[in-house]
Amino acid sequence: MFDRKIWNHFNTDKTRTTNHLEGWHAALNRSISRPKPNIFLLINEIKNQQQNFELDITAQKNGNPKPLSKMKFRKLEERLTNAKDR
């Protein structure tokens, strides 16, 4: 039904999923830690995340490197890169 080029991620670097929101959504759920938060709690948490995101961008623009990912993910990424190169 859909062309393979749309969903195939063989040549994609770093991100290997088609839904980038899953990680953000899981982090949002962990930070709120309530199954049904009220709207004001949700709005405040989204504002906090936006502020942190903007601070991260500013830090990167000023030459501070992004924090390293966990070792297991760096090794996995290296293995995938090596497999693609073969």
Side-chain angles (χ1 to χ4, degrees), residues 11-46:
N11 290 322
T12 302
D13 290 329
K14 301 291 180 193
T15 305
R16 293 181 305 274
T17 65
T18 56
N19 187 356
H20 306 302
L21 292 176
E22 288 181 26
W24 176 78
H25 189 249
L28 181 64
N29 283 336
R30 279 191 306 273
S31 66
I32 291 177
S33 69
R34 287 187 184 175
K36 294 182 180 181
N38 66 43
I39 190 69
F40 301 107
L41 182 65
L42 180 62
I43 290 171
N44 283 334
E45 183 55 36
I46 291 174

mmCIF file of all heavy atoms in Angstrom, residues 11-46:
data_model
loop_
_atom_site.group_PDB
_atom_site.id
_atom_site.type_symbol
_atom_site.label_atom_id
_atom_site.label_comp_id
_atom_site.label_asym_id
_atom_site.label_seq_id
_atom_site.Cartn_x
_atom_site.Cartn_y
_atom_site.Cartn_z
ATOM 1 N N ASN A 11 18.974 3.624 5.586
ATOM 2 C CA ASN A 11 19.971 4.683 5.424
ATOM 3 C C ASN A 11 19.788 5.830 6.415
ATOM 4 O O ASN A 11 20.420 6.870 6.283
ATOM 5 C CB ASN A 11 19.932 5.232 3.994
ATOM 6 C CG ASN A 11 20.456 4.227 3.005
ATOM 7 O OD1 ASN A 11 21.418 3.519 3.298
ATOM 8 N ND2 ASN A 11 19.825 4.129 1.861
ATOM 9 N N THR A 12 18.941 5.664 7.390
ATOM 10 C CA THR A 12 18.708 6.703 8.380
ATOM 11 C C THR A 12 19.814 6.683 9.421
ATOM 12 O O THR A 12 20.196 5.625 9.901
ATOM 13 C CB THR A 12 17.356 6.486 9.076
ATOM 14 O OG1 THR A 12 16.338 6.475 8.085
ATOM 15 C CG2 THR A 12 17.076 7.588 10.075
ATOM 16 N N ASP A 13 20.343 7.850 9.753
ATOM 17 C CA ASP A 13 21.348 7.949 10.809
ATOM 18 C C ASP A 13 20.673 8.335 12.109
ATOM 19 O O ASP A 13 19.806 9.195 12.149
ATOM 20 C CB ASP A 13 22.413 8.997 10.453
ATOM 21 C CG ASP A 13 23.283 8.535 9.303
ATOM 22 O OD1 ASP A 13 23.499 7.321 9.171
ATOM 23 O OD2 ASP A 13 23.733 9.400 8.536
ATOM 24 N N LYS A 14 21.108 7.716 13.183
ATOM 25 C CA LYS A 14 20.660 7.978 14.555
ATOM 26 C C LYS A 14 19.240 7.497 14.820
ATOM 27 O O LYS A 14 19.050 6.493 15.443
ATOM 28 C CB LYS A 14 20.803 9.447 14.941
ATOM 29 C CG LYS A 14 22.218 9.956 14.842
ATOM 30 C CD LYS A 14 23.073 9.350 15.893
ATOM 31 C CE LYS A 14 24.500 9.879 15.767
ATOM 32 N NZ LYS A 14 25.411 9.127 16.536
ATOM 33 N N THR A 15 18.217 8.184 14.355
ATOM 34 C CA THR A 15 16.838 7.830 14.680
ATOM 35 C C THR A 15 16.405 6.641 13.838
ATOM 36 O O THR A 15 16.451 6.691 12.626
ATOM 37 C CB THR A 15 15.907 9.026 14.418
ATOM 38 O OG1 THR A 15 16.392 10.142 15.138
ATOM 39 C CG2 THR A 15 14.503 8.718 14.856
ATOM 40 N N ARG A 16 15.963 5.587 14.517
ATOM 41 C CA ARG A 16 15.583 4.384 13.804
ATOM 42 C C ARG A 16 14.099 4.065 13.937
ATOM 43 O O ARG A 16 13.657 2.991 13.569
ATOM 44 C CB ARG A 16 16.408 3.208 14.312
ATOM 45 C CG ARG A 16 17.870 3.331 13.983
ATOM 46 C CD ARG A 16 18.644 2.138 14.491
ATOM 47 N NE ARG A 16 18.453 1.902 15.905
ATOM 48 C CZ ARG A 16 19.156 2.483 16.874
ATOM 49 N NH1 ARG A 16 20.088 3.337 16.583
ATOM 50 N NH2 ARG A 16 18.933 2.193 18.128
ATOM 51 N N THR A 17 13.311 4.952 14.479
ATOM 52 C CA THR A 17 11.885 4.704 14.582
ATOM 53 C C THR A 17 11.135 5.714 13.742
ATOM 54 O O THR A 17 11.670 6.760 13.382
ATOM 55 C CB THR A 17 11.390 4.824 16.041
ATOM 56 O OG1 THR A 17 11.553 6.169 16.477
ATOM 57 C CG2 THR A 17 12.136 3.888 16.961
ATOM 58 N N THR A 18 9.913 5.400 13.439
ATOM 59 C CA THR A 18 9.091 6.331 12.668
ATOM 60 C C THR A 18 8.260 7.215 13.577
ATOM 61 O O THR A 18 7.646 8.161 13.124
ATOM 62 C CB THR A 18 8.157 5.574 11.711
ATOM 63 O OG1 THR A 18 7.381 4.653 12.480
ATOM 64 C CG2 THR A 18 8.964 4.841 10.650
ATOM 65 N N ASN A 19 8.233 6.938 14.877
ATOM 66 C CA ASN A 19 7.437 7.742 15.795
ATOM 67 C C ASN A 19 8.347 8.348 16.855
ATOM 68 O O ASN A 19 8.613 7.753 17.885
ATOM 69 C CB ASN A 19 6.356 6.887 16.444
ATOM 70 C CG ASN A 19 5.403 7.700 17.273
ATOM 71 O OD1 ASN A 19 5.582 8.899 17.438
ATOM 72 N ND2 ASN A 19 4.396 7.059 17.810
ATOM 73 N N HIS A 20 8.792 9.563 16.625
ATOM 74 C CA HIS A 20 9.712 10.237 17.542
ATOM 75 C C HIS A 20 9.023 10.704 18.822
ATOM 76 O O HIS A 20 9.690 11.074 19.780
ATOM 77 C CB HIS A 20 10.354 11.445 16.854
ATOM 78 C CG HIS A 20 11.016 11.097 15.566
ATOM 79 N ND1 HIS A 20 12.010 10.170 15.475
ATOM 80 C CD2 HIS A 20 10.797 11.529 14.314
ATOM 81 C CE1 HIS A 20 12.400 10.059 14.220
ATOM 82 N NE2 HIS A 20 11.672 10.870 13.500
ATOM 83 N N LEU A 21 7.721 10.664 18.825
ATOM 84 C CA LEU A 21 6.992 11.135 20.001
ATOM 85 C C LEU A 21 6.914 10.107 21.122
ATOM 86 O O LEU A 21 6.607 10.461 22.255
ATOM 87 C CB LEU A 21 5.573 11.539 19.609
ATOM 88 C CG LEU A 21 5.467 12.768 18.730
ATOM 89 C CD1 LEU A 21 4.023 13.012 18.336
ATOM 90 C CD2 LEU A 21 6.029 13.975 19.440
ATOM 91 N N GLU A 22 7.184 8.849 20.818
ATOM 92 C CA GLU A 22 7.068 7.823 21.853
ATOM 93 C C GLU A 22 7.978 8.105 23.042
ATOM 94 O O GLU A 22 7.561 7.992 24.197
ATOM 95 C CB GLU A 22 7.383 6.448 21.280
ATOM 96 C CG GLU A 22 6.304 5.913 20.374
ATOM 97 C CD GLU A 22 6.647 4.545 19.839
ATOM 98 O OE1 GLU A 22 7.411 3.812 20.497
ATOM 99 O OE2 GLU A 22 6.138 4.206 18.760
ATOM 100 N N GLY A 23 9.215 8.457 22.785
ATOM 101 C CA GLY A 23 10.153 8.753 23.866
ATOM 102 C C GLY A 23 9.752 9.976 24.657
ATOM 103 O O GLY A 23 9.831 9.993 25.887
ATOM 104 N N TRP A 24 9.308 11.004 23.941
ATOM 105 C CA TRP A 24 8.877 12.219 24.632
ATOM 106 C C TRP A 24 7.651 11.937 25.485
ATOM 107 O O TRP A 24 7.549 12.387 26.622
ATOM 108 C CB TRP A 24 8.571 13.329 23.628
ATOM 109 C CG TRP A 24 8.036 14.556 24.284
ATOM 110 C CD1 TRP A 24 8.747 15.513 24.952
ATOM 111 C CD2 TRP A 24 6.668 14.951 24.378
ATOM 112 N NE1 TRP A 24 7.900 16.479 25.438
ATOM 113 C CE2 TRP A 24 6.617 16.152 25.108
ATOM 114 C CE3 TRP A 24 5.474 14.400 23.908
ATOM 115 C CZ2 TRP A 24 5.433 16.817 25.373
ATOM 116 C CZ3 TRP A 24 4.299 15.065 24.179
ATOM 117 C CH2 TRP A 24 4.286 16.252 24.901
ATOM 118 N N HIS A 25 6.719 11.170 24.945
ATOM 119 C CA HIS A 25 5.497 10.862 25.676
ATOM 120 C C HIS A 25 5.811 10.049 26.932
ATOM 121 O O HIS A 25 5.241 10.305 28.004
ATOM 122 C CB HIS A 25 4.531 10.103 24.770
ATOM 123 C CG HIS A 25 3.175 9.934 25.354
ATOM 124 N ND1 HIS A 25 2.690 8.719 25.742
ATOM 125 C CD2 HIS A 25 2.205 10.842 25.623
ATOM 126 C CE1 HIS A 25 1.475 8.874 26.235
ATOM 127 N NE2 HIS A 25 1.156 10.152 26.173
ATOM 128 N N ALA A 26 6.711 9.085 26.819
ATOM 129 C CA ALA A 26 7.098 8.287 27.985
ATOM 130 C C ALA A 26 7.760 9.168 29.041
ATOM 131 O O ALA A 26 7.482 9.029 30.241
ATOM 132 C CB ALA A 26 8.038 7.165 27.558
ATOM 133 N N ALA A 27 8.618 10.099 28.609
ATOM 134 C CA ALA A 27 9.275 11.004 29.555
ATOM 135 C C ALA A 27 8.256 11.933 30.219
ATOM 136 O O ALA A 27 8.350 12.214 31.419
ATOM 137 C CB ALA A 27 10.352 11.825 28.845
ATOM 138 N N LEU A 28 7.289 12.394 29.457
ATOM 139 C CA LEU A 28 6.241 13.245 30.020
ATOM 140 C C LEU A 28 5.443 12.477 31.071
ATOM 141 O O LEU A 28 5.170 12.995 32.157
ATOM 142 C CB LEU A 28 5.319 13.755 28.908
ATOM 143 C CG LEU A 28 4.191 14.679 29.333
ATOM 144 C CD1 LEU A 28 4.742 15.976 29.907
ATOM 145 C CD2 LEU A 28 3.275 14.963 28.152
ATOM 146 N N ASN A 29 5.090 11.254 30.773
ATOM 147 C CA ASN A 29 4.362 10.430 31.744
ATOM 148 C C ASN A 29 5.171 10.216 33.014
ATOM 149 O O ASN A 29 4.631 10.283 34.122
ATOM 150 C CB ASN A 29 3.985 9.083 31.136
ATOM 151 C CG ASN A 29 2.805 9.182 30.204
ATOM 152 O OD1 ASN A 29 1.996 10.080 30.307
ATOM 153 N ND2 ASN A 29 2.721 8.234 29.276
ATOM 154 N N ARG A 30 6.476 9.970 32.880
ATOM 155 C CA ARG A 30 7.327 9.772 34.059
ATOM 156 C C ARG A 30 7.435 11.054 34.880
ATOM 157 O O ARG A 30 7.441 11.015 36.106
ATOM 158 C CB ARG A 30 8.723 9.310 33.648
ATOM 159 C CG ARG A 30 8.830 7.839 33.347
ATOM 160 C CD ARG A 30 10.279 7.397 33.218
ATOM 161 N NE ARG A 30 11.044 8.177 32.260
ATOM 162 C CZ ARG A 30 11.120 7.946 30.964
ATOM 163 N NH1 ARG A 30 10.477 6.934 30.434
ATOM 164 N NH2 ARG A 30 11.844 8.711 30.180
ATOM 165 N N SER A 31 7.531 12.193 34.221
ATOM 166 C CA SER A 31 7.702 13.445 34.959
ATOM 167 C C SER A 31 6.426 13.865 35.685
ATOM 168 O O SER A 31 6.491 14.465 36.749
ATOM 169 C CB SER A 31 8.175 14.557 34.022
ATOM 170 O OG SER A 31 7.179 14.857 33.078
ATOM 171 N N ILE A 32 5.277 13.547 35.131
ATOM 172 C CA ILE A 32 4.015 13.898 35.788
ATOM 173 C C ILE A 32 3.675 12.878 36.870
ATOM 174 O O ILE A 32 3.192 13.234 37.930
ATOM 175 C CB ILE A 32 2.879 14.019 34.752
ATOM 176 C CG1 ILE A 32 3.134 15.237 33.881
ATOM 177 C CG2 ILE A 32 1.534 14.136 35.442
ATOM 178 C CD1 ILE A 32 2.153 15.433 32.777
ATOM 179 N N SER A 33 3.927 11.630 36.616
ATOM 180 C CA SER A 33 3.738 10.508 37.546
ATOM 181 C C SER A 33 2.328 10.424 38.129
ATOM 182 O O SER A 33 2.156 10.072 39.283
ATOM 183 C CB SER A 33 4.782 10.553 38.666
ATOM 184 O OG SER A 33 4.557 11.640 39.530
ATOM 185 N N ARG A 34 1.368 10.777 37.332
ATOM 186 C CA ARG A 34 -0.043 10.613 37.698
ATOM 187 C C ARG A 34 -0.786 10.060 36.485
ATOM 188 O O ARG A 34 -0.552 10.523 35.371
ATOM 189 C CB ARG A 34 -0.688 11.950 38.067
ATOM 190 C CG ARG A 34 -0.273 12.511 39.378
ATOM 191 C CD ARG A 34 -1.119 13.728 39.659
ATOM 192 N NE ARG A 34 -0.684 14.369 40.887
ATOM 193 C CZ ARG A 34 -1.183 15.495 41.321
ATOM 194 N NH1 ARG A 34 -2.107 16.122 40.631
ATOM 195 N NH2 ARG A 34 -0.756 16.012 42.442
ATOM 196 N N PRO A 35 -1.683 9.136 36.695
ATOM 197 C CA PRO A 35 -2.400 8.598 35.533
ATOM 198 C C PRO A 35 -3.336 9.606 34.871
ATOM 199 O O PRO A 35 -3.505 9.605 33.672
ATOM 200 C CB PRO A 35 -3.177 7.406 36.082
ATOM 201 C CG PRO A 35 -3.155 7.543 37.556
ATOM 202 C CD PRO A 35 -2.007 8.447 37.922
ATOM 203 N N LYS A 36 -3.941 10.484 35.678
ATOM 204 C CA LYS A 36 -4.869 11.481 35.126
ATOM 205 C C LYS A 36 -4.568 12.847 35.751
ATOM 206 O O LYS A 36 -5.261 13.289 36.669
ATOM 207 C CB LYS A 36 -6.310 11.082 35.411
ATOM 208 C CG LYS A 36 -6.730 9.820 34.697
ATOM 209 C CD LYS A 36 -8.171 9.498 34.970
ATOM 210 C CE LYS A 36 -8.553 8.234 34.235
ATOM 211 N NZ LYS A 36 -9.961 7.902 34.471
ATOM 212 N N PRO A 37 -3.559 13.560 35.242
ATOM 213 C CA PRO A 37 -3.236 14.865 35.829
ATOM 214 C C PRO A 37 -4.279 15.904 35.440
ATOM 215 O O PRO A 37 -4.936 15.787 34.409
ATOM 216 C CB PRO A 37 -1.888 15.199 35.200
ATOM 217 C CG PRO A 37 -1.919 14.503 33.893
ATOM 218 C CD PRO A 37 -2.687 13.228 34.131
ATOM 219 N N ASN A 38 -4.381 16.932 36.268
ATOM 220 C CA ASN A 38 -5.280 18.019 35.859
ATOM 221 C C ASN A 38 -4.577 18.850 34.791
ATOM 222 O O ASN A 38 -3.367 18.759 34.587
ATOM 223 C CB ASN A 38 -5.739 18.861 37.056
ATOM 224 C CG ASN A 38 -4.611 19.621 37.720
ATOM 225 O OD1 ASN A 38 -3.746 20.203 37.054
ATOM 226 N ND2 ASN A 38 -4.608 19.635 39.041
ATOM 227 N N ILE A 39 -5.330 19.662 34.106
ATOM 228 C CA ILE A 39 -4.808 20.411 32.962
ATOM 229 C C ILE A 39 -3.702 21.383 33.359
ATOM 230 O O ILE A 39 -2.750 21.588 32.604
ATOM 231 C CB ILE A 39 -5.958 21.134 32.212
ATOM 232 C CG1 ILE A 39 -5.472 21.720 30.885
ATOM 233 C CG2 ILE A 39 -6.569 22.222 33.080
ATOM 234 C CD1 ILE A 39 -5.136 20.699 29.855
ATOM 235 N N PHE A 40 -3.777 21.947 34.562
ATOM 236 C CA PHE A 40 -2.782 22.922 34.985
ATOM 237 C C PHE A 40 -1.428 22.259 35.247
ATOM 238 O O PHE A 40 -0.384 22.811 34.909
ATOM 239 C CB PHE A 40 -3.268 23.682 36.226
ATOM 240 C CG PHE A 40 -4.558 24.400 35.973
ATOM 241 C CD1 PHE A 40 -5.735 23.934 36.520
ATOM 242 C CD2 PHE A 40 -4.593 25.514 35.155
ATOM 243 C CE1 PHE A 40 -6.939 24.594 36.276
ATOM 244 C CE2 PHE A 40 -5.784 26.173 34.892
ATOM 245 C CZ PHE A 40 -6.965 25.706 35.459
ATOM 246 N N LEU A 41 -1.444 21.064 35.805
ATOM 247 C CA LEU A 41 -0.214 20.313 36.020
ATOM 248 C C LEU A 41 0.422 19.949 34.680
ATOM 249 O O LEU A 41 1.631 20.088 34.494
ATOM 250 C CB LEU A 41 -0.499 19.046 36.838
ATOM 251 C CG LEU A 41 0.681 18.182 37.188
ATOM 252 C CD1 LEU A 41 1.631 18.923 38.123
ATOM 253 C CD2 LEU A 41 0.204 16.897 37.833
ATOM 254 N N LEU A 42 -0.399 19.529 33.750
ATOM 255 C CA LEU A 42 0.094 19.182 32.415
ATOM 256 C C LEU A 42 0.697 20.398 31.715
ATOM 257 O O LEU A 42 1.788 20.322 31.144
ATOM 258 C CB LEU A 42 -1.040 18.596 31.580
ATOM 259 C CG LEU A 42 -0.697 18.172 30.161
ATOM 260 C CD1 LEU A 42 0.350 17.071 30.168
ATOM 261 C CD2 LEU A 42 -1.943 17.729 29.430
ATOM 262 N N ILE A 43 0.023 21.522 31.763
ATOM 263 C CA ILE A 43 0.530 22.742 31.126
ATOM 264 C C ILE A 43 1.855 23.167 31.751
ATOM 265 O O ILE A 43 2.802 23.519 31.034
ATOM 266 C CB ILE A 43 -0.516 23.875 31.200
ATOM 267 C CG1 ILE A 43 -1.686 23.552 30.272
ATOM 268 C CG2 ILE A 43 0.099 25.228 30.857
ATOM 269 C CD1 ILE A 43 -2.869 24.479 30.421
ATOM 270 N N ASN A 44 1.945 23.122 33.068
ATOM 271 C CA ASN A 44 3.195 23.505 33.732
ATOM 272 C C ASN A 44 4.342 22.583 33.335
ATOM 273 O O ASN A 44 5.469 23.043 33.102
ATOM 274 C CB ASN A 44 3.026 23.505 35.253
ATOM 275 C CG ASN A 44 2.281 24.725 35.735
ATOM 276 O OD1 ASN A 44 2.289 25.764 35.087
ATOM 277 N ND2 ASN A 44 1.635 24.594 36.881
ATOM 278 N N GLU A 45 4.091 21.299 33.231
ATOM 279 C CA GLU A 45 5.153 20.367 32.852
ATOM 280 C C GLU A 45 5.594 20.596 31.410
ATOM 281 O O GLU A 45 6.779 20.555 31.107
ATOM 282 C CB GLU A 45 4.703 18.921 33.051
ATOM 283 C CG GLU A 45 5.781 17.909 32.746
ATOM 284 C CD GLU A 45 7.064 18.141 33.529
ATOM 285 O OE1 GLU A 45 7.013 18.562 34.694
ATOM 286 O OE2 GLU A 45 8.157 17.896 32.961
ATOM 287 N N ILE A 46 4.672 20.848 30.529
ATOM 288 C CA ILE A 46 5.036 21.128 29.130
ATOM 289 C C ILE A 46 5.839 22.425 29.044
ATOM 290 O O ILE A 46 6.817 22.511 28.290
ATOM 291 C CB ILE A 46 3.776 21.167 28.241
ATOM 292 C CG1 ILE A 46 3.194 19.750 28.132
ATOM 293 C CG2 ILE A 46 4.102 21.717 26.859
ATOM 294 C CD1 ILE A 46 1.875 19.678 27.417
#
